[in-house]
Amino acid sequence: MLAALFILVAVTLMVVVGIMFGKRAAPTGTGTPEAESTKVNPFESMTYSDDNTPKKAKDETDPEEVARILDSIEFESKLNSWEAAQDLRGQAKAKMAEFQALREEGDAAWHDAAREAKDLYEEAVQKATVYFNELKDAVGADAYPTQRVEKLLVTWRRDLIGLQKTVGR
């Protein structure tokens, strides 16, 4: 048993000594010049701007900015549709606040207020969609005003979906 232990320690020492001498014999060069010249910079084609202005969150929409942009476009009849949609959305938001307060109080009348809010939101989304389609046809789908209205409509539709889930379709 003692002999087996001695052989195991001797083999282990030989391996350790071999590794140490192998490290000393390794070349100390930093590498071949060809390897250094073929390195590729993955960020070479990227351009950076020094503009450090903070970006808005995706869901942030500024209704005044959208209204200002939309007022600059000549759609008299469709603009009235857009203004009506904004008014209806304002009424729907007020009804939403009302039904949420009634719900917190435990009043069963919140169901009626929620249904009214849903109906107002549906009408607002329909009117806004008409305006959005006219705007898209007039200035193009990639135009900034069209994208802003589309973003606003996405927010409105999220509210409407929440109401539909709360009240039922």
Side-chain angles (χ1 to χ4, degrees):
M1 188 69 116
L2 187 60
L5 182 63
F6 180 71
I7 292 174
L8 181 66
V9 170
V11 170
T12 305
L13 282 174
M14 287 176 35
V15 169
V16 170
V17 169
I19 291 173
M20 291 174 71
F21 281 119
K23 284 186 178 180
R24 284 187 190 168
T28 59
T30 59
T32 60
E34 293 93 24
E36 288 180 11
S37 65
T38 59
K39 287 184 181 178
V40 177
N41 182 4
F43 307 108
E44 185 175 306
S45 64
M46 296 178 80
T47 57
Y48 300 99
S49 67
D50 292 336
D51 185 17
N52 292 329
T53 57
K55 304 225 184 281
K56 286 186 175 181
K58 285 187 177 182
D59 286 342
E60 274 187 45
T61 54
D62 185 14
E64 289 84 19
E65 180 180 314
V66 173
R68 182 181 47 79
I69 291 169
L70 297 176
D71 287 341
S72 67
I73 298 174
E74 301 297 322
F75 289 122
E76 293 304 321
S77 64
K78 302 303 176 188
L79 186 59
N80 291 336
S81 175
W82 174 248
E83 290 170 353
Q86 286 181 320
D87 290 341
L88 287 169
R89 182 192 175 256
Q91 293 172 14
K93 279 296 218 184
K95 280 291 183 185
M96 282 178 67
E98 178 185 332
F99 98 75
Q100 288 171 348
L102 289 171
R103 188 178 190 182
E104 287 176 6
E105 293 172 4
D107 192 351
W110 74 267
H111 292 285
D112 296 330
R115 277 189 206 95
E116 290 176 31
K118 181 185 73 99
D119 293 341
L120 288 169
Y121 244 117
E122 285 175 344
E123 190 176 348
V125 167
Q126 287 173 352
K127 287 185 180 288
T129 302
V130 169
Y131 180 73
F132 171 72
N133 290 333
E134 289 294 322
L135 180 66
K136 186 170 64 172
D137 291 343
V139 297
D142 294 335
Y144 180 74
T146 307
Q147 291 176 353
R148 294 296 295 169
V149 171
E150 184 176 23
K151 191 174 189 179
L152 190 60
L153 275 173
V154 166
T155 306
W156 290 15
R157 287 185 182 118
R158 282 185 188 153
D159 287 344
L160 179 59
I161 289 170
L163 283 169
Q164 288 171 341
K165 288 181 179 180
T166 301
V167 176
R169 294 190 182 248

mmCIF file of all heavy atoms in Angstrom, residues 3 10-11 33 45 58 62-64 66 71 73 82 87 90 94 99 122 132 138 140 142 146 150 153 155 161 166:
data_model
loop_
_atom_site.group_PDB
_atom_site.id
_atom_site.type_symbol
_atom_site.label_atom_id
_atom_site.label_comp_id
_atom_site.label_asym_id
_atom_site.label_seq_id
_atom_site.Cartn_x
_atom_site.Cartn_y
_atom_site.Cartn_z
ATOM 1 N N ALA A 3 3.824 1.470 -1.178
ATOM 2 C CA ALA A 3 4.491 1.577 -2.473
ATOM 3 C C ALA A 3 3.573 2.243 -3.500
ATOM 4 O O ALA A 3 4.011 3.080 -4.307
ATOM 5 C CB ALA A 3 4.911 0.190 -2.953
ATOM 6 N N ALA A 10 4.942 10.332 -6.791
ATOM 7 C CA ALA A 10 6.023 10.549 -7.746
ATOM 8 C C ALA A 10 5.475 10.952 -9.108
ATOM 9 O O ALA A 10 5.996 11.882 -9.753
ATOM 10 C CB ALA A 10 6.869 9.282 -7.844
ATOM 11 N N VAL A 11 4.404 10.290 -9.559
ATOM 12 C CA VAL A 11 3.819 10.626 -10.855
ATOM 13 C C VAL A 11 3.234 12.041 -10.811
ATOM 14 O O VAL A 11 3.395 12.826 -11.761
ATOM 15 C CB VAL A 11 2.744 9.575 -11.240
ATOM 16 C CG1 VAL A 11 1.943 10.035 -12.449
ATOM 17 C CG2 VAL A 11 3.391 8.232 -11.500
ATOM 18 N N PRO A 33 2.484 38.746 -36.262
ATOM 19 C CA PRO A 33 1.985 40.007 -36.805
ATOM 20 C C PRO A 33 0.769 39.811 -37.702
ATOM 21 O O PRO A 33 -0.079 40.674 -37.803
ATOM 22 C CB PRO A 33 3.165 40.560 -37.607
ATOM 23 C CG PRO A 33 4.355 39.769 -37.217
ATOM 24 C CD PRO A 33 3.870 38.507 -36.599
ATOM 25 N N SER A 45 -18.236 50.247 -38.426
ATOM 26 C CA SER A 45 -19.210 50.884 -39.310
ATOM 27 C C SER A 45 -20.278 51.673 -38.552
ATOM 28 O O SER A 45 -21.109 52.327 -39.170
ATOM 29 C CB SER A 45 -19.891 49.825 -40.174
ATOM 30 O OG SER A 45 -20.634 48.949 -39.352
ATOM 31 N N LYS A 58 -41.861 54.721 -25.004
ATOM 32 C CA LYS A 58 -42.670 54.375 -26.167
ATOM 33 C C LYS A 58 -44.120 54.772 -26.007
ATOM 34 O O LYS A 58 -44.770 55.131 -26.957
ATOM 35 C CB LYS A 58 -42.574 52.878 -26.426
ATOM 36 C CG LYS A 58 -41.279 52.470 -27.022
ATOM 37 C CD LYS A 58 -41.290 51.035 -27.405
ATOM 38 C CE LYS A 58 -39.978 50.676 -28.063
ATOM 39 N NZ LYS A 58 -39.926 49.317 -28.512
ATOM 40 N N ASP A 62 -47.748 63.072 -26.449
ATOM 41 C CA ASP A 62 -48.076 64.416 -26.024
ATOM 42 C C ASP A 62 -49.258 64.895 -26.857
ATOM 43 O O ASP A 62 -49.098 65.210 -28.038
ATOM 44 C CB ASP A 62 -46.858 65.325 -26.228
ATOM 45 C CG ASP A 62 -47.071 66.722 -25.695
ATOM 46 O OD1 ASP A 62 -48.047 66.914 -24.941
ATOM 47 O OD2 ASP A 62 -46.271 67.610 -26.028
ATOM 48 N N PRO A 63 -50.456 64.945 -26.274
ATOM 49 C CA PRO A 63 -51.635 65.317 -27.058
ATOM 50 C C PRO A 63 -51.535 66.720 -27.662
ATOM 51 O O PRO A 63 -52.020 66.946 -28.769
ATOM 52 C CB PRO A 63 -52.777 65.257 -26.041
ATOM 53 C CG PRO A 63 -52.279 64.376 -24.952
ATOM 54 C CD PRO A 63 -50.798 64.549 -24.913
ATOM 55 N N GLU A 64 -50.890 67.652 -26.967
ATOM 56 C CA GLU A 64 -50.747 68.999 -27.526
ATOM 57 C C GLU A 64 -49.881 68.981 -28.776
ATOM 58 O O GLU A 64 -50.158 69.681 -29.748
ATOM 59 C CB GLU A 64 -50.138 69.968 -26.496
ATOM 60 C CG GLU A 64 -51.050 70.329 -25.362
ATOM 61 C CD GLU A 64 -51.044 69.315 -24.234
ATOM 62 O OE1 GLU A 64 -50.109 68.524 -24.138
ATOM 63 O OE2 GLU A 64 -52.004 69.313 -23.458
ATOM 64 N N VAL A 66 -49.446 66.423 -30.829
ATOM 65 C CA VAL A 66 -50.216 65.786 -31.895
ATOM 66 C C VAL A 66 -51.240 66.764 -32.460
ATOM 67 O O VAL A 66 -51.400 66.889 -33.675
ATOM 68 C CB VAL A 66 -50.900 64.497 -31.381
ATOM 69 C CG1 VAL A 66 -51.842 63.933 -32.423
ATOM 70 C CG2 VAL A 66 -49.852 63.470 -31.002
ATOM 71 N N ASP A 71 -53.199 70.150 -36.724
ATOM 72 C CA ASP A 71 -53.801 71.414 -37.132
ATOM 73 C C ASP A 71 -53.109 72.005 -38.350
ATOM 74 O O ASP A 71 -53.694 72.811 -39.068
ATOM 75 C CB ASP A 71 -53.763 72.425 -35.975
ATOM 76 C CG ASP A 71 -54.767 72.069 -34.898
ATOM 77 O OD1 ASP A 71 -55.713 71.297 -35.188
ATOM 78 O OD2 ASP A 71 -54.618 72.553 -33.768
ATOM 79 N N ILE A 73 -52.305 70.464 -40.995
ATOM 80 C CA ILE A 73 -52.716 69.750 -42.208
ATOM 81 C C ILE A 73 -54.131 70.172 -42.564
ATOM 82 O O ILE A 73 -54.991 70.290 -41.703
ATOM 83 C CB ILE A 73 -52.615 68.230 -41.980
ATOM 84 C CG1 ILE A 73 -51.157 67.883 -41.691
ATOM 85 C CG2 ILE A 73 -53.123 67.461 -43.174
ATOM 86 C CD1 ILE A 73 -50.947 66.472 -41.304
ATOM 87 N N TRP A 82 -61.574 64.362 -36.051
ATOM 88 C CA TRP A 82 -60.491 64.179 -35.088
ATOM 89 C C TRP A 82 -60.786 64.911 -33.783
ATOM 90 O O TRP A 82 -60.575 64.377 -32.703
ATOM 91 C CB TRP A 82 -59.178 64.650 -35.698
ATOM 92 C CG TRP A 82 -58.038 64.621 -34.736
ATOM 93 C CD1 TRP A 82 -57.379 65.688 -34.213
ATOM 94 C CD2 TRP A 82 -57.421 63.462 -34.176
ATOM 95 N NE1 TRP A 82 -56.399 65.273 -33.365
ATOM 96 C CE2 TRP A 82 -56.403 63.905 -33.323
ATOM 97 C CE3 TRP A 82 -57.632 62.097 -34.310
ATOM 98 C CZ2 TRP A 82 -55.593 63.028 -32.604
ATOM 99 C CZ3 TRP A 82 -56.826 61.229 -33.599
ATOM 100 C CH2 TRP A 82 -55.821 61.694 -32.757
ATOM 101 N N ASP A 87 -62.652 64.797 -28.077
ATOM 102 C CA ASP A 87 -63.674 65.140 -27.084
ATOM 103 C C ASP A 87 -64.296 63.877 -26.489
ATOM 104 O O ASP A 87 -64.485 63.789 -25.263
ATOM 105 C CB ASP A 87 -64.764 66.023 -27.701
ATOM 106 C CG ASP A 87 -64.263 67.423 -28.038
ATOM 107 O OD1 ASP A 87 -63.215 67.829 -27.484
ATOM 108 O OD2 ASP A 87 -64.903 68.094 -28.873
ATOM 109 N N GLY A 90 -61.956 62.307 -24.097
ATOM 110 C CA GLY A 90 -61.944 63.025 -22.823
ATOM 111 C C GLY A 90 -63.131 62.638 -21.954
ATOM 112 O O GLY A 90 -62.990 62.445 -20.743
ATOM 113 N N ALA A 94 -63.096 60.595 -18.309
ATOM 114 C CA ALA A 94 -63.823 61.051 -17.125
ATOM 115 C C ALA A 94 -64.717 59.935 -16.589
ATOM 116 O O ALA A 94 -64.799 59.715 -15.370
ATOM 117 C CB ALA A 94 -64.650 62.291 -17.458
ATOM 118 N N PHE A 99 -66.051 55.450 -12.849
ATOM 119 C CA PHE A 99 -66.356 54.051 -12.545
ATOM 120 C C PHE A 99 -65.308 53.434 -11.624
ATOM 121 O O PHE A 99 -65.619 52.582 -10.795
ATOM 122 C CB PHE A 99 -66.575 53.224 -13.821
ATOM 123 C CG PHE A 99 -65.412 52.411 -14.318
ATOM 124 C CD1 PHE A 99 -65.030 51.237 -13.687
ATOM 125 C CD2 PHE A 99 -64.725 52.780 -15.454
ATOM 126 C CE1 PHE A 99 -63.984 50.471 -14.162
ATOM 127 C CE2 PHE A 99 -63.683 52.030 -15.943
ATOM 128 C CZ PHE A 99 -63.302 50.870 -15.288
ATOM 129 N N GLU A 122 -65.122 53.421 -27.828
ATOM 130 C CA GLU A 122 -65.290 52.787 -29.131
ATOM 131 C C GLU A 122 -65.604 53.812 -30.212
ATOM 132 O O GLU A 122 -65.042 53.775 -31.306
ATOM 133 C CB GLU A 122 -66.400 51.732 -29.068
ATOM 134 C CG GLU A 122 -65.980 50.461 -28.367
ATOM 135 C CD GLU A 122 -67.118 49.471 -28.207
ATOM 136 O OE1 GLU A 122 -68.304 49.861 -28.357
ATOM 137 O OE2 GLU A 122 -66.812 48.303 -27.910
ATOM 138 N N PHE A 132 -57.282 58.990 -39.186
ATOM 139 C CA PHE A 132 -55.963 58.387 -39.408
ATOM 140 C C PHE A 132 -55.829 57.869 -40.838
ATOM 141 O O PHE A 132 -54.803 58.086 -41.487
ATOM 142 C CB PHE A 132 -55.732 57.259 -38.403
ATOM 143 C CG PHE A 132 -54.511 56.440 -38.693
ATOM 144 C CD1 PHE A 132 -53.241 56.954 -38.479
ATOM 145 C CD2 PHE A 132 -54.619 55.156 -39.204
ATOM 146 C CE1 PHE A 132 -52.109 56.210 -38.752
ATOM 147 C CE2 PHE A 132 -53.505 54.409 -39.484
ATOM 148 C CZ PHE A 132 -52.244 54.929 -39.257
ATOM 149 N N ALA A 138 -53.162 60.950 -47.358
ATOM 150 C CA ALA A 138 -52.714 62.272 -47.809
ATOM 151 C C ALA A 138 -51.209 62.468 -47.686
ATOM 152 O O ALA A 138 -50.573 62.978 -48.604
ATOM 153 C CB ALA A 138 -53.438 63.357 -47.025
ATOM 154 N N GLY A 140 -48.902 59.979 -46.334
ATOM 155 C CA GLY A 140 -48.116 58.747 -46.361
ATOM 156 C C GLY A 140 -48.003 58.106 -44.996
ATOM 157 O O GLY A 140 -48.089 58.774 -43.964
ATOM 158 N N ASP A 142 -45.391 56.744 -43.663
ATOM 159 C CA ASP A 142 -44.114 56.970 -42.990
ATOM 160 C C ASP A 142 -43.939 58.398 -42.496
ATOM 161 O O ASP A 142 -42.928 58.707 -41.866
ATOM 162 C CB ASP A 142 -42.959 56.627 -43.930
ATOM 163 C CG ASP A 142 -42.913 55.142 -44.257
ATOM 164 O OD1 ASP A 142 -43.427 54.349 -43.440
ATOM 165 O OD2 ASP A 142 -42.368 54.780 -45.315
ATOM 166 N N THR A 146 -48.464 61.024 -39.230
ATOM 167 C CA THR A 146 -49.179 59.756 -39.301
ATOM 168 C C THR A 146 -48.692 58.807 -38.211
ATOM 169 O O THR A 146 -49.492 58.150 -37.544
ATOM 170 C CB THR A 146 -48.981 59.099 -40.682
ATOM 171 O OG1 THR A 146 -49.326 60.043 -41.688
ATOM 172 C CG2 THR A 146 -49.825 57.865 -40.833
ATOM 173 N N GLU A 150 -50.899 57.337 -35.142
ATOM 174 C CA GLU A 150 -50.969 55.889 -34.977
ATOM 175 C C GLU A 150 -50.555 55.486 -33.558
ATOM 176 O O GLU A 150 -51.183 54.626 -32.933
ATOM 177 C CB GLU A 150 -50.071 55.205 -35.998
ATOM 178 C CG GLU A 150 -50.154 53.696 -35.958
ATOM 179 C CD GLU A 150 -49.319 53.039 -37.041
ATOM 180 O OE1 GLU A 150 -48.366 53.661 -37.537
ATOM 181 O OE2 GLU A 150 -49.636 51.901 -37.382
ATOM 182 N N LEU A 153 -53.357 56.318 -31.259
ATOM 183 C CA LEU A 153 -54.441 55.345 -31.426
ATOM 184 C C LEU A 153 -54.120 54.022 -30.730
ATOM 185 O O LEU A 153 -55.019 53.367 -30.194
ATOM 186 C CB LEU A 153 -54.724 55.098 -32.902
ATOM 187 C CG LEU A 153 -55.668 56.096 -33.553
ATOM 188 C CD1 LEU A 153 -55.747 55.854 -35.057
ATOM 189 C CD2 LEU A 153 -57.037 56.037 -32.947
ATOM 190 N N THR A 155 -52.464 53.724 -27.974
ATOM 191 C CA THR A 155 -52.747 53.977 -26.565
ATOM 192 C C THR A 155 -54.248 53.943 -26.302
ATOM 193 O O THR A 155 -54.702 53.364 -25.307
ATOM 194 C CB THR A 155 -52.162 55.340 -26.140
ATOM 195 O OG1 THR A 155 -50.776 55.367 -26.469
ATOM 196 C CG2 THR A 155 -52.333 55.582 -24.668
ATOM 197 N N ILE A 161 -59.338 48.101 -24.889
ATOM 198 C CA ILE A 161 -59.229 46.670 -24.603
ATOM 199 C C ILE A 161 -59.371 46.412 -23.113
ATOM 200 O O ILE A 161 -60.044 45.464 -22.687
ATOM 201 C CB ILE A 161 -57.893 46.099 -25.139
ATOM 202 C CG1 ILE A 161 -57.940 46.057 -26.665
ATOM 203 C CG2 ILE A 161 -57.615 44.719 -24.572
ATOM 204 C CD1 ILE A 161 -56.605 45.748 -27.315
ATOM 205 N N THR A 166 -62.905 44.515 -18.749
ATOM 206 C CA THR A 166 -63.569 44.814 -17.487
ATOM 207 C C THR A 166 -65.079 44.640 -17.605
ATOM 208 O O THR A 166 -65.717 44.045 -16.742
ATOM 209 C CB THR A 166 -63.258 46.263 -17.051
ATOM 210 O OG1 THR A 166 -61.858 46.407 -16.917
ATOM 211 C CG2 THR A 166 -63.930 46.597 -15.744
#
